[in-house]
Amino acid sequence: MYPQLTDEALTDLLHKNDHLALETLFNRYYKPLCQFCAVYTREYVVAEEIIANLFMRVWDNRQDAVILNIKNYLFVAAKNQALNYLQKKKEPVDSIEDISIDHSTLQDRDNPFKILSSRESYNSILHVINTLPAGQRQILLMSHIDSMTNQQISGILGISVRTVDSTLYKTIKKLRLLLADFRRSTSGN
């Protein structure tokens, strides 16, 4: 394995049929790709299968593919494969309430899911997050569920880091207001 090599160097080695380059990329990106893909598929086992197949396709197409940024390529391909899987199942992607979240995968930092510990509050925050526009919801989930950095989100979505920063700031601010409104409306009943 080549843990010290850059993604670009590993991509070059892939073109030269170096299976250790693929193994290094696999070890580097498998877990984050599975977590990312599971946001869409709602099933971690399915996400693992999609990502394993993705790496097999990368190996099979190593001679023909022109990949400038392997990380971006992998995340975009994972998202596309997850959406294809959902299309085959004919299930909508836009409902976040059906996503089962394994709390052990969440970071130990303060986030809305940790702060709101009761099941009722948990369902309430999912309902409120579901009211956010799709782009804001996606960036919020990538940041707080997948624990991706703003640079990683920027690369995957093909937008600037500044756009990710401002969208995340606006989304969290809006989420706080929506949650405050929700709490006021439910406490008045």
Side-chain angles (χ1 to χ4, degrees):
M1 287 207 336
Y2 310 111
Q4 72 282 3
L5 292 182
T6 64
D7 288 352
E8 293 78 18
L10 292 170
T11 304
D12 290 340
L13 288 172
L14 273 178
H15 287 292
K16 297 175 183 171
N17 299 321
D18 190 331
H19 70 279
L20 289 177
L22 180 71
E23 187 178 341
T24 304
L25 288 169
F26 182 86
N27 289 332
R28 190 174 289 175
Y29 293 117
Y30 179 76
K31 186 176 179 181
L33 283 167
C34 287
Q35 290 172 338
F36 175 72
C37 191
V39 169
Y40 293 96
T41 64
R42 302 178 190 133
E43 299 175 46
Y44 197 81
V45 173
V46 171
E48 288 179 317
E49 185 177 328
I50 288 171
I51 301 307
N53 288 335
L54 173 61
F55 276 101
M56 284 189 283
R57 275 193 304 281
V58 167
W59 180 253
D60 291 342
N61 298 322
R62 67 190 176 278
Q63 297 295 324
D64 303 324
V66 178
I67 302 171
L68 300 177
N69 185 324
I70 190 76
K71 183 178 180 181
N72 288 352
Y73 172 83
L74 291 171
F75 276 94
V76 170
K79 178 182 177 182
N80 290 339
Q81 292 302 312
L83 293 175
N84 288 344
Y85 167 80
L86 291 174
Q87 181 64 29
K88 288 177 185 172
K89 282 184 67 176
K90 300 290 185 200
E91 290 186 8
V93 181
D94 57 347
S95 177
I96 191 170
E97 290 186 32
D98 295 333
I99 297 175
S100 64
I101 297 175
D102 179 6
H103 291 285
S104 65
T105 61
L106 297 176
Q107 297 292 326
D108 286 335
R109 60 185 174 185
D110 287 336
N111 61 51
F113 297 108
K114 186 175 178 185
I115 294 168
L116 301 171
S117 60
S118 73
R119 182 70 182 157
E120 183 177 311
S121 295
Y122 173 79
N123 287 333
S124 300
I125 195 168
L126 288 177
H127 174 74
V128 171
I129 289 173
N130 198 37
T131 64
L132 294 170
Q136 289 182 344
R137 185 172 59 237
Q138 182 179 25
I139 290 174
L140 181 70
L141 292 174
M142 291 171 81
S143 175
H144 292 283
I145 300 297
D146 293 331
S147 301
M148 293 183 174
T149 66
N150 291 359
Q151 290 77 14
Q152 290 172 319
I153 296 169
S154 165
I156 292 167
L157 298 179
I159 58 178
S160 71
V161 175
R162 188 171 178 94
T163 301
V164 174
D165 290 338
S166 64
T167 302
L168 198 53
Y169 174 79
K170 290 175 189 174
T171 302
I172 291 171
K173 186 175 178 181
K174 183 175 183 178
L175 186 60
R176 285 184 182 138
L177 292 172
L178 289 170
L179 285 170
D181 289 344
F182 184 81
R183 286 187 192 125
R184 278 194 295 276
S185 69
T186 57
S187 66
N189 291 340

